[in-house]
Amino acid sequence: MLGLGATVTSDLTAGAVTSTTVISGVTASKGAIVEVVSAAVRSGATLTLLSGALGENLTVSKGAEVVGAGELAGETDVSGVVSGLTIAGFLELAKGAIGSALKVGASAQVTVAAGAQLFGLTAQSGALIDVSGSTTGLAIGSSVEVDVSSGGTALSAIVQSGGLLRLAGGAASGTRVESGGQLEIADRVSGTVIAGTVTATTELAGLTLSSGAVVTLDNAEVTKGATVSFGAKAVVSGLVIDAGGSVVGPGDLQGETYDSGVISGATLDGVGGGAGVFAGGRVSDVSVDLGSDLSVGSGAVASATTLRGNMDVGGVASGTAVLSGGLEFVDELGSDIAATIRSGGVIDVGFLGTATSLTVLAGGVVSGGGDLWGVDRIAGLASGVALTAGADVEIASGGRGSALDVSDPDGSAPPSELAVEAGGVVVADTVSFRGLEVIKSGGVASATTVLSGGSESVTSGGEAIRLVVSSAGSATISAGGIVNGASLASGGLLIDNGELRNTSSGTLAGTLSGSGIVVEAGSGVLLLAGAGTAFGGQLAIEGGAAELAKAGAIGSGGVEFVEPATGSAVLRLDAADAPKAGGTFANALSNFSGANEQIDLAGLAFVSGASATLTGSTLVLSDGGKTFDFDVAGKAAAGYTVTSDGRGGTQITAAAADPAVARFSQAAAAFAPTDAAKTALVSSTGSLGQTPFAQTGAGHHG
């Protein structure tokens, strides 16, 4: 074997020597093999590579030729002519170069530079042809790719099944894409392009697309007035859609898509990124798969999106369906309208973002620091959002609300309302100016705070727990409604036509009205220190103490004692609400009869020898020469003792009821004349002793 690495300046034949030959001073006998390696073929010289001959890492100057049936390996740079050869490595045809009848081996690469020409090439699987010059008559076989860049042309090419012709700024003319062949457009698109599998022979920009040919787009620009349509199995990738351009699915969008036009019916399939929609751009009926992102910028619109991936909304989104795994984030000044959040889906409404007319199904979540508007139905979880601008939000069965803010801060819309339906629960809400929270039958609200201008309504069958009503706030308990634990600040309003039950310490310092019941149970102190003159219901003491700190604290309502199993039930009267000497306590007492029941006159100094006597339906306290009357009804005690309350006040304690006395009292009240009804007398002459039941004349105290 003789390897030549010198400069070839005259004609030379490489391959098997047929007769003894002297080459560059070297004698090559018949049968010897001549190869040309790392040589420069100069202008005017022709290097012929016979079949089986090898030329490696050659430089072919302008005016030089390399021809034959041999093989070019390594890197071959051509400014002259190459013809008939097999390319096994990398071949570059520079400006002015000509290649013809070349055969490109598997995985070999040919570059046709601007100003170069290539005629009649065939290629094996894996070959890549990069064209910026001119090509004619290429046969693009299976797994062969031809890329035609800007300024390049592909004339009269045939794209066979499995082959790929990629137009990236270049042109194709007189070219045919056969069934199974692929045309990829990576260029500016005008007119109408149908991507996907061609169903009938079609002409497109100088190409003939046979039935069964495949058209794809990659990094293409869809210009104003152009339309790209692609079917269910078609794929387009990395598009730029100009204003006035449109892309119509239902195929898959991959890579990064930039939209200032219209995208309709496509799927972002989670491969390699997502889509950004800019001002003026629109997307509709688009599916965003897990792993993909859709960004809807300010001035852009997305409608009827199906979301399994992520969507960021700075413009407007409407009719979105957020499915399991989907996350929609509404940016500052972004807006979502009529979205449906299904189980496993989340919509996060950011600060100054808005969501209107949401439907959040079981397992769905709406959260964030933004605003809910319009009519919204929540059967999943709503957390941290604000209900403003006349929002009408329903927490449906199974729905949960957490830290919601209900208000209409600018007052320009109807009041905002949150309704908690049967099976719905809200926790730690805040209701303020022109906001209304309604707890309906079967609904529950816990730890709601009602601020100035806000209102809480607990309807029949509804329940509120640990309700806080601040100054200028209001709450209404309808008949059949219940509030378990409440705090009412001075200046606040509580209308109780149902039941307010307190099991620990609490304060009602605002205005109390209505005809319902206030219950103190447990071991705490319920302080009633507000205006209660409009209250006509009942105060029930089942345990702990109810302290009346202001005159008329419970209006015309009565006080009922219910003896607790443990502890005591105490009615504590501060000086402002206690009866005056010689007068009668404003509120009737009922069932003041249990041994653990007490009346504590905190503002009346205890004087030794004080006594309490029941005459008819009047309990008379004698203390320091003064008397204080209490109207009583229901069960009576066997007697009453009077002691110090341990804090300087006077305390009346009931003894266990005597059944015989109780029966006689009831009979006398039922059958005797009015005056005679006062003949039943049980007395205690001091703090330590009790006298047995006795009858006296009407009005006799003894």
Side-chain angles (χ1 to χ4, degrees), residues 188-402:
R188 290 170 60 86
V189 175
S190 58
T192 299
V193 174
I194 300 176
T197 302
V198 177
T199 57
T201 300
T202 303
E203 298 294 325
L204 175 64
L207 295 90
T208 299
L209 305 176
S210 301
S211 177
V214 177
V215 179
T216 63
L217 283 81
D218 180 34
N219 296 316
E221 179 182 356
V222 183
T223 60
K224 181 178 180 180
T227 298
V228 173
S229 176
F230 56 117
K233 295 183 180 180
V235 175
V236 298
S237 178
L239 297 184
V240 175
I241 306 168
D242 295 342
S246 63
V247 174
V248 181
D252 291 349
L253 285 174
Q254 296 180 357
E256 297 291 342
T257 300
Y258 302 92
D259 176 33
S260 297
V262 175
I263 301 175
S264 176
T267 296
L268 304 182
D269 71 356
V271 178
V277 188
F278 300 96
R282 299 178 61 88
V283 295
S284 63
D285 296 306
V286 168
S287 294
V288 183
D289 284 353
L290 186 66
S292 284
D293 299 285
L294 174 62
S295 177
V296 183
S298 177
V301 176
S303 61
T305 304
T306 300
L307 192 62
R308 294 179 180 86
N310 300 326
M311 181 166 72
D312 189 279
V313 180
V316 176
S318 66
T320 304
V322 185
L323 308 185
S324 180
L327 169 62
E328 178 181 355
F329 180 75
V330 183
D331 284 334
E332 180 177 341
L333 302 182
S335 175
D336 182 279
I337 302 169
T340 299
I341 318 302
R342 298 187 180 275
S343 180
V346 176
I347 180 169
D348 189 338
V349 186
F351 178 67
L352 295 182
T354 62
T356 304
S357 302
L358 288 183
T359 299
V360 183
L361 301 180
V365 175
V366 54
S367 62
D371 296 346
L372 294 187
W373 291 357
V375 179
D376 306 276
R377 186 176 188 275
I378 313 296
L381 171 65
S383 175
V385 290
L387 284 59
T388 61
D392 184 358
V393 178
E394 173 189 331
I395 305 294
S397 179
R400 297 293 183 268
S402 174

Side-chain angles (χ1 to χ4, degrees), residues 644-676:
S644 170
D645 67 0
R647 296 181 298 275
T650 300
Q651 180 171 287
I652 306 171
T653 302
D658 183 329
V661 173
R663 286 195 298 272
F664 185 87
S665 298
Q666 292 166 355
F671 299 108
T674 302
D675 290 341

Side-chain angles (χ1 to χ4, degrees), residues 26-113:
V26 177
T27 300
S29 302
K30 179 180 178 180
I33 303 297
V34 178
E35 293 183 349
V36 182
V37 179
S38 300
V41 184
R42 297 304 186 189
S43 177
T46 297
L47 172 61
T48 302
L49 299 180
L50 301 176
S51 178
L54 177 67
E56 184 174 359
N57 296 329
L58 302 184
T59 299
V60 183
S61 301
K62 183 178 181 180
E65 296 183 17
V66 179
V67 299
E71 182 176 287
L72 291 177
E75 295 187 8
T76 303
D77 297 320
V78 179
S79 297
V81 175
V82 289
S83 176
L85 302 165
T86 296
I87 311 303
F90 176 86
L91 171 68
E92 180 175 0
L93 299 178
K95 181 179 179 180
I98 298 174
S100 65
L102 300 179
K103 303 176 183 63
V104 183
S107 302
Q109 182 174 344
V110 175
T111 297
V112 183

